[in-house]
Amino acid sequence: KIEVWVSTQLTELKNFSNEEYRILGSEIDALGASSAVAQNLRTQITTIEKCIANDCTLFVAREAGVAIGLLKLGQKHLYYWRKDGTLITLDPPCVLDFYVKESHQRSGIGRSLFDALLTHARIRAEALAYDRPSPKMLPFLAKHFGLRSYQPQPTNFVIFDLYFLSSPSLNNKEEGSSRRRTSDCILDTTGNRRKVNPLFY
């Protein structure tokens, strides 16, 4: 099961159900810490508070109720150097973190996380940018989505060559569609929000 949490949902959860927010936050923060270790990062890039502050969408994989993987989606303003040396700017939706517990790798969890992202955002894998993809992630993207060729960038973001064969208007439209998704809240008899639920895939 894949849970989808947009930043507005996380904010509502924090405001209306502090204990549930604390539990979810501890799970996300633990996965983020493990991801940083696995990627040899100096600092942890994924915490629940950072996801709220940076308006990110989190995809959380669970097995028997236990969080076993995450994928973080956000939007960035990027400089991109073409092969001819010219510089352009892009605003693609970006995969900012991707991690599955070692004990659950090679079992389809990573593909399920990506399928949930692509369905939720209504976008193709080649229309995304990827922040510092790990040595494991690049073969994963090649195997499942045929993404191989790209121009290395000083920013360490990877934008595959197939990105430029996608329709820019489609990319913008679909990212906007993702950002318009709102939280799923249960209302009590007075109309006040008392429970915030994620979307599921």
Side-chain angles (χ1 to χ4, degrees), residues 33-69:
S34 296
S35 178
V37 171
Q39 299 180 68
N40 294 315
L41 301 179
R42 292 183 179 181
T43 58
Q44 181 173 340
I45 59 175
T46 298
T47 68
I48 195 168
E49 289 293 333
K50 287 180 179 179
C51 289
I52 292 174
N54 296 309
D55 193 20
C56 295
T57 300
L58 274 176
F59 299 80
V60 180
R62 291 187 182 275
E63 185 174 271
V66 178
I68 58 173

Side-chain angles (χ1 to χ4, degrees), residues 4 10 21 32 60 81 87 99:
V4 184
L10 295 174
Y21 177 82
V60 180
W81 280 262
L87 178 66
Y99 175 74

Side-chain angles (χ1 to χ4, degrees), residues 42-118:
R42 292 183 179 181
T43 58
Q44 181 173 340
I45 59 175
T46 298
T47 68
I48 195 168
E49 289 293 333
K50 287 180 179 179
C51 289
I52 292 174
N54 296 309
D55 193 20
C56 295
T57 300
L58 274 176
F59 299 80
V60 180
R62 291 187 182 275
E63 185 174 271
V66 178
I68 58 173
L70 66 77
L71 194 159
K72 182 171 69 171
L73 179 70
Q75 191 156 0
K76 294 289 185 180
H77 182 70
L78 301 177
Y79 293 100
Y80 181 86
W81 280 262
R82 295 182 182 272
K83 293 179 181 180
D84 64 5
T86 57
L87 178 66
I88 62 173
T89 59
L90 301 169
D91 297 278
C94 302
V95 173
L96 301 174
D97 202 0
F98 177 47
Y99 175 74
V100 176
K101 284 185 176 181
E102 282 76 4
S103 58
H104 291 78
Q105 292 179 7
R106 299 184 181 278
S107 62
I109 302 299
R111 179 60 194 257
S112 294
L113 282 164
F114 257 88
D115 285 346
L117 181 158
L118 300 177

Side-chain angles (χ1 to χ4, degrees), residues 3-10 13 20 24 28 56-60 62 196-199:
E3 296 176 356
V4 184
W5 293 93
V6 298
S7 58
T8 52
Q9 288 173 297
L10 295 174
L13 190 69
E20 290 183 34
L24 178 64
I28 291 171
C56 295
T57 300
L58 274 176
F59 299 80
V60 180
R62 291 187 182 275
V196 181
N197 295 323
L199 298 167

Side-chain angles (χ1 to χ4, degrees), residues 122-136:
R122 289 183 287 178
I123 200 168
R124 295 182 296 271
E126 63 266 26
L128 298 165
Y130 299 85
D131 186 11
R132 293 168 293 187
S134 70
K136 289 184 178 180

